[in-house]
């Protein structure tokens, strides 16, 4: 799945969005970095936004998060997103991303941390997007499902017409039509198998949509709690 990480590094948002289901299935690390870490280093904030629910607070072998790497590369747009979610994580040297920025006297980055609550709407946008991505895939599968059902109905109608025709034909013609009927039955079985597979995929995607919506709700509650804590 090297293409997944390469897309994140190069800022291929459309690929990441279209294949977001891979965020759960691919190995989380490639070259000691997650996909979100690659995107964070290059300031691809839209990709960071969509990967955040899957990879927030993940650490590499050095204990660095995507936020640590974003600070090291001065990825300002990404820092605005991640400061709320990963600012409390320390690397293997016991340093938070803000402490590293302070040591390097990166005043612009320090200012971003101090005003991080101002940027939370952008971070929360990803949790609205993810169910939409799933729903888009679900819609495609349901369309395929409907098309297959329509095809099956047509095949059943053709089958009935063959049976009616067979009754009025001679033996030789009957044999030919019987062969055709068997072929139609075989095609019908194939369509039914495809239909069962798609039905299973639809149910799986529905379940994943529900799970993502639950995750979105939980994270939004966490964001609200952090905002409340900062305003006290």
């Amino acid at each position: 799945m090297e293409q997944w990480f390469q897309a994140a590094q190069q800022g291929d948002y459309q690929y990441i969005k279209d294949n977001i289901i891979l965020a759960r299935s691919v190995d989380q690390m490639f070259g000691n970095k997650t996909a979100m870490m690659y995107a964070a280093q290059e300031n691809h904030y839209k990709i960071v936004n969509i990967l955040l629910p899957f990879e927030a607070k993940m650490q590499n072998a050095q204990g660095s998060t995507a936020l640590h790497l974003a600070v090291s590369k001065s990825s300002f747009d990404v820092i605005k997103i991640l400061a709320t979610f990963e600012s409390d994580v320390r690397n293997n040297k016991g340093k938070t991303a803000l402490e590293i920025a302070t040591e390097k006297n990166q005043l612009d980055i320090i200012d971003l941390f101090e005003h991080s609550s101002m940027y939370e709407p952008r971070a929360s946008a990803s949790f609205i997007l993810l169910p939409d991505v799933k729903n888009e895939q679900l819609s495609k599968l349901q369309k395929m499902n409907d098309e297959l059902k329509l095809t099956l109905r047509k095949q059943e109608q053709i089958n009935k017409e063959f049976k009616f025709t067979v009754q009025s034909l001679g033996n030789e013609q009957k044999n030919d039509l019987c062969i055709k009927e068997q072929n139609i039955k075989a095609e019908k079985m194939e369509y039914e198998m495809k239909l069962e597979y798609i039905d299973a995929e639809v149910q799986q995607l529905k379940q994943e949509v529900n799970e993502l919506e639950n995750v979105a709700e939980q994270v939004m509650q966490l964001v609200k709690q952090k905002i409340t804590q900062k305003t006290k």
Side-chain angles (χ1 to χ4, degrees):
M1 293 298 179
E2 183 177 350
Q3 184 178 359
W4 169 257
F5 296 94
Q6 187 176 19
Q9 184 178 38
Q10 295 177 351
D12 191 346
Y13 173 77
Q14 193 61 47
Y15 178 86
I16 297 296
K17 178 183 175 183
D18 291 344
N19 297 277
I20 192 63
I21 196 170
L22 294 178
R24 288 187 172 185
S25 58
V26 300
D27 291 335
Q28 295 287 358
M29 292 280 185
F30 180 81
N32 195 34
K33 296 176 188 175
T34 65
M36 189 168 77
M37 290 176 186
Y38 281 109
Q41 285 187 309
E42 302 299 329
N43 201 34
H44 299 315
Y45 68 88
K46 290 179 67 177
I47 293 178
V48 169
N49 216 25
I50 198 173
L51 291 176
L52 186 58
F54 300 98
E55 299 183 1
K57 293 193 174 184
M58 289 190 65
Q59 296 171 270
N60 62 14
Q62 289 73 42
S64 297
T65 64
L67 179 58
H68 284 98
L69 299 180
V71 168
S72 70
K73 295 291 185 178
S74 297
S75 300
F76 293 103
D77 292 323
V78 170
I79 294 171
K80 291 177 183 179
I81 296 173
L82 295 180
T84 301
F85 298 94
E86 297 186 346
S87 59
D88 59 335
V89 182
R90 297 181 180 275
N91 62 18
N92 293 351
K93 295 181 179 180
K95 303 291 185 180
T96 65
L98 176 57
E99 288 171 344
I100 292 174
T102 302
E103 288 178 352
K104 295 182 178 180
N105 199 31
Q106 296 172 293
L107 299 181
D108 290 342
I109 293 178
I110 294 171
D111 185 64
L112 288 180
F113 277 94
E114 292 176 351
H115 297 87
S116 62
S117 62
M118 296 171 56
Y119 310 113
E120 287 178 9
R122 173 184 283 180
S124 63
S126 63
F127 305 114
I128 299 172
L129 173 63
L130 282 171
D132 289 342
V133 173
K134 288 291 183 183
N135 284 326
E136 182 180 343
Q137 293 176 327
L138 182 59
S139 177
K140 290 179 180 179
L141 281 174
Q142 287 177 331
K143 183 178 179 181
M144 291 174 61
N145 196 343
D146 293 339
E147 290 174 352
L148 279 173
K149 286 181 178 179
L150 178 61
T151 302
L152 281 174
R153 286 196 294 269
K154 289 180 179 179
Q155 290 289 355
E156 289 174 355
Q157 181 62 33
I158 293 173
N159 200 11
K160 290 179 181 179
E161 292 174 358
F162 268 116
K163 287 182 178 179
F164 177 79
T165 305
V166 165
Q167 295 174 359
S168 59
L169 295 175
N171 290 333
E172 183 176 347
Q173 291 172 312
K174 285 182 180 181
N175 289 335
D176 291 339
L177 287 175
C178 284
I179 293 173
K180 291 181 180 179
E181 184 179 11
Q182 290 174 358
N183 291 336
I184 290 173
K185 287 181 178 179
E187 290 180 1
K188 180 181 177 182
M189 289 180 62
E190 182 180 353
Y191 280 120
E192 287 175 341
M193 290 176 63
K194 289 181 179 179
L195 188 58
E196 289 179 2
Y197 172 78
I198 289 178
D199 281 337
E201 288 289 306
V202 168
Q203 294 304 318
Q204 178 65 26
L205 279 171
K206 284 182 178 178
Q207 182 178 348
E208 291 184 3
V209 168
N210 290 334
E211 290 175 358
L212 285 171
E213 288 174 344
N214 290 335
V215 170
E217 180 63 25
Q218 292 173 10
V219 175
M220 288 300 295
Q221 291 298 326
L222 177 62
V223 171
K224 290 178 181 178
Q225 291 175 8
K226 289 194 175 184
I227 293 174
T228 302
Q229 292 172 358
K230 289 181 180 180
T231 55
K232 288 184 178 180

